[in-house]
Amino acid sequence: MKFYNTIIKYRFWLSLLALVAAVGVNYSSGFWPAFILYFVGVIGLASHFFIGPLRLIQEPMERGDMDEVERILNTVWYPNLLYKPVRSTYYTIKGNMAMMKQDFDSAEKHLKKSSELGSPMPEAEGANKLQLGMMSMQRGDLKQGESYIRAAIRAGIADKESEAVAYISMCQIFMNKREFRAAKDYFRRAKACKPTTKQVVDQIKEVEKYISRMPG
């Protein structure tokens, strides 16, 4: 695995070296002796631009080295050349990195690109749309927020904590619209997820103060 990661890390320069060597062999011995070097060089360059180095991100992400993750992402020179599922993952990670820096404009831009491309994993698409919905709600755009969060629920949300966030957000949207029956239904769904994260639990407790006094 480490050897393969090293190959990916230096793939661009190794591919150029293979092509330079191929030209030299071609000049001295003819095309066919140089064919394998041409082949390796072309395949290496194609994989560098169409697949990229995202495989290298897993290890630094697991150890929480976000600076290294960002450095690897910055080696993608032409994101639009990436194979579509890889490009979607690239923009998802860029969006999450921007959110960590509280650069919400950049985060929204990247997550929208990822969402438009679609994700090879429905759960990742659901997480993207949920984040977009939460950002829309922070801006006070409840209509757009509702649209994104509905789409997130349809796509599927991987963990119960995020699912609870989606349902309690929908509950708040319907409370604001004074559609109390729907608000209560989403509140029940949020509680059924049995979240344990303090922030989510506190949010549910806060809404619970008002939900019991609602008609419907």
Side-chain angles (χ1 to χ4, degrees):
M1 181 70 73
K2 203 168 249 190
F3 174 75
Y4 185 53
N5 285 350
T6 302
I7 293 294
I8 294 173
K9 187 175 181 179
Y10 299 107
R11 175 174 51 197
F12 178 76
W13 304 109
L14 290 171
S15 300
L16 289 183
L17 184 62
L19 289 174
V20 170
V23 171
V25 172
N26 193 159
Y27 180 77
S28 61
S29 305
F31 173 77
W32 288 111
F35 174 76
I36 188 65
L37 289 170
Y38 279 125
F39 181 78
V40 168
V42 169
I43 291 297
L45 286 178
S47 62
H48 175 79
F49 287 107
F50 298 136
I51 299 175
L54 296 196
R55 184 187 178 93
L56 301 176
I57 283 173
Q58 182 178 352
E59 188 177 324
M61 283 194 79
E62 287 174 352
R63 64 174 187 264
D65 188 351
M66 293 300 109
D67 289 338
E68 179 63 12
V69 170
E70 188 167 21
R71 190 196 66 76
I72 292 168
L73 290 176
N74 289 339
T75 65
V76 178
W77 300 328
Y78 304 104
N80 288 337
L81 293 179
L82 292 171
Y83 180 52
K84 190 175 178 181
V86 178
R87 202 183 333 150
S88 175
T89 302
Y90 167 83
Y91 283 122
T92 296
I93 297 170
K94 290 282 283 186
N96 290 334
M97 294 285 289
M99 285 191 73
M100 288 173 63
K101 296 177 180 178
Q102 297 190 327
D103 182 356
F104 298 117
D105 289 340
S106 293
E108 184 174 23
K109 180 183 74 173
H110 293 312
L111 290 172
K112 275 184 176 178
K113 286 182 179 179
S114 177
S115 184
E116 288 164 4
L117 289 164
S119 172
M121 296 180 293
E123 296 85 358
E125 185 177 350
N128 278 359
K129 291 188 184 301
L130 178 57
Q131 288 177 320
L132 286 167
M134 299 305 293
M135 284 188 283
S136 294
M137 287 183 68
Q138 285 176 351
R139 291 199 310 269
D141 188 348
L142 298 186
K143 184 176 181 181
Q144 184 68 74
E146 179 184 346
S147 176
Y148 277 128
I149 295 170
R150 280 188 184 279
I153 293 169
R154 283 197 301 270
I157 300 171
D159 63 278
K160 289 297 182 182
E161 300 295 321
S162 298
E163 193 175 359
V165 169
Y167 288 137
I168 201 67
S169 299
M170 289 295 286
C171 171
Q172 290 170 321
I173 289 169
F174 279 95
M175 285 170 64
N176 187 70
K177 292 164 70 172
R178 302 186 67 78
E179 295 183 26
F180 300 126
R181 184 172 295 179
K184 287 184 175 183
D185 180 52
Y186 280 114
F187 180 75
R188 283 192 292 269
R189 293 191 203 182
K191 288 194 76 173
C193 292
K194 298 180 179 177
T196 57
T197 305
K198 184 179 184 303
Q199 186 179 359
V200 182
V201 172
D202 289 347
Q203 193 175 5
I204 288 175
K205 286 179 179 177
E206 188 65 30
V207 172
E208 197 165 22
K209 295 176 184 176
Y210 306 99
I211 205 87
S212 59
R213 301 200 294 267
M214 289 179 183

